[in-house]
Amino acid sequence: MATLCLRTLNLSRLLSVNRCEILWSASPLITNSPISPYYRRQLCKKVDNEKEGLFQKFKSMYRNYWYVLVPVHLVTSAAWFGGFYYMAKSGVDIAGLLESWNVSESITTKLRDSHMGYLAVSYALYKISTPIRYTVTIGGTTISINYLRKWGYIKPVPSTDRLREMYKEQKENLMESFKETKGYYKEKKEDFYDSVKDKKVELQIKRDRLKTQKDKVVKDLEDSLGKIKKCQKSTECSSHPKR
């Protein structure tokens, strides 16, 4: 099992390196044409750029509609891998088929190895068909999105003018909400200051009352002391004067 996994890993690395060569050699007309290595490299770069554009479109669709793309990609990937596994197990000469397409001999030699097993062969075909698989996924996702929009599960993307209007309305609502919040806190602040002033007035009134009571008590004490002193000086005052 470990040997099979190692062989599959080596095949995966080989496929990732020679992907352009596979696409280059897929057509006998191109392979047999007298094109210099320089133009061949340029064509390979063009193929790689197209592949990058496909992957960029895949990523863009994933960012916007990941909830549709992921199920579609899983279903199509399972279908691709299952189909390749069925072909390999049914006895289809995969290596001969690829040789008829003039695929690189290093790839077909790996596929002819009887020790690789059906899973490794299926995985190799799965990796080779990556651009086609991504194209099918994007197409299936686009069709699914159109049907979901038609059924009302996905709302259509607004136009640029509508987005500007929505942005303007949202901005106005936020500004109005901000003003209302600011006015609310301003009223709360004023109410707080008014309550503090009222408390100060109440405290001042209580202080004045306490001062008045204090002055009255002090005056009563002074009057009582004055009467006591007069009684002590007077010979007519009894030993227990009336208060």
Side-chain angles (χ1 to χ4, degrees):
M1 185 65 182
T3 305
L4 177 60
C5 293
L6 184 60
R7 290 175 181 270
T8 305
L9 180 60
N10 293 332
L11 180 61
S12 175
R13 291 175 179 174
L14 182 62
L15 290 173
S16 63
V17 173
N18 295 330
R19 184 74 57 79
C20 181
E21 294 294 333
I22 294 172
L23 295 174
W24 169 267
S25 59
S27 174
L29 180 62
I30 297 177
T31 304
N32 298 327
S33 61
I35 298 178
S36 64
Y38 171 76
Y39 289 105
R40 182 171 178 172
R41 288 193 298 270
Q42 293 298 322
L43 288 175
C44 284
K45 289 181 180 179
K46 184 177 180 181
V47 171
D48 291 337
N49 292 333
E50 292 178 356
K51 183 178 68 175
E52 289 179 0
L54 179 66
F55 290 159
Q56 289 296 330
K57 188 174 182 180
F58 184 88
K59 291 179 180 179
S60 176
M61 187 168 288
Y62 175 80
R63 285 194 299 268
N64 297 326
Y65 302 101
W66 62 269
Y67 47 88
V68 180
L69 185 140
V70 171
V72 172
H73 187 61
L74 291 176
V75 171
T76 55
S77 297
W80 281 104
F81 192 85
F84 292 144
Y85 183 81
Y86 179 78
M87 288 175 58
K89 197 171 183 179
S90 298
V92 177
D93 187 7
I94 304 297
L97 181 63
L98 294 178
E99 283 181 352
S100 65
W101 294 346
N102 292 327
V103 176
S104 176
E105 185 178 356
S106 59
I107 304 298
T108 57
T109 302
K110 290 286 185 180
L111 293 177
R112 286 187 183 279
D113 190 355
S114 60
H115 299 289
M116 289 183 60
Y118 300 132
L119 290 176
V121 174
S122 303
Y123 180 74
L125 294 175
Y126 183 82
K127 294 295 290 184
I128 292 174
S129 62
T130 296
I132 302 175
R133 290 190 297 105
Y134 275 53
T135 303
V136 172
T137 298
I138 292 173
T141 303
T142 303
I143 295 173
S144 301
I145 290 171
N146 291 333
Y147 274 105
L148 290 174
R149 285 178 179 173
K150 183 178 179 181
W151 295 335
Y153 291 103
I154 297 179
K155 295 182 179 180
V157 179
S159 61
T160 305
D161 296 335
R162 179 55 184 164
L163 288 174
R164 290 177 181 174
E165 292 178 0
M166 292 172 62
Y167 171 76
K168 188 176 180 180
E169 291 176 358
Q170 189 68 18
K171 184 178 179 181
E172 291 177 354
N173 292 333
L174 288 174
M175 292 298 295
E176 185 177 355
S177 177
F178 176 75
K179 289 179 180 179
E180 291 178 355
T181 305
K182 186 177 180 181
Y184 172 78
Y185 282 108
K186 187 176 180 180
E187 291 179 359
K188 286 291 184 181
K189 184 178 179 181
E190 292 176 354
D191 293 340
F192 175 74
Y193 285 153
D194 292 339
S195 63
V196 170
K197 289 180 181 179
D198 294 339
K199 291 292 183 182
K200 286 183 177 180
V201 172
E202 291 179 1
L203 289 174
Q204 186 64 35
I205 293 173
K206 290 181 179 180
R207 194 177 296 139
D208 294 339
R209 288 178 181 176
L210 290 174
K211 186 177 180 181
T212 303
Q213 292 177 0
K214 178 183 176 182
D215 294 340
K216 185 177 179 181
V217 171
V218 171
K219 186 177 180 181
D220 292 340
L221 288 175
E222 290 177 352
D223 293 341
S224 298
L225 289 174
K227 290 180 180 180
I228 292 172
K229 288 180 180 180
K230 287 180 180 180
C231 288
Q232 288 178 353
K233 291 180 180 180
S234 176
T235 56
E236 298 178 354
C237 184
S238 61
S239 59
H240 299 285
K242 294 182 180 181
R243 294 184 180 179

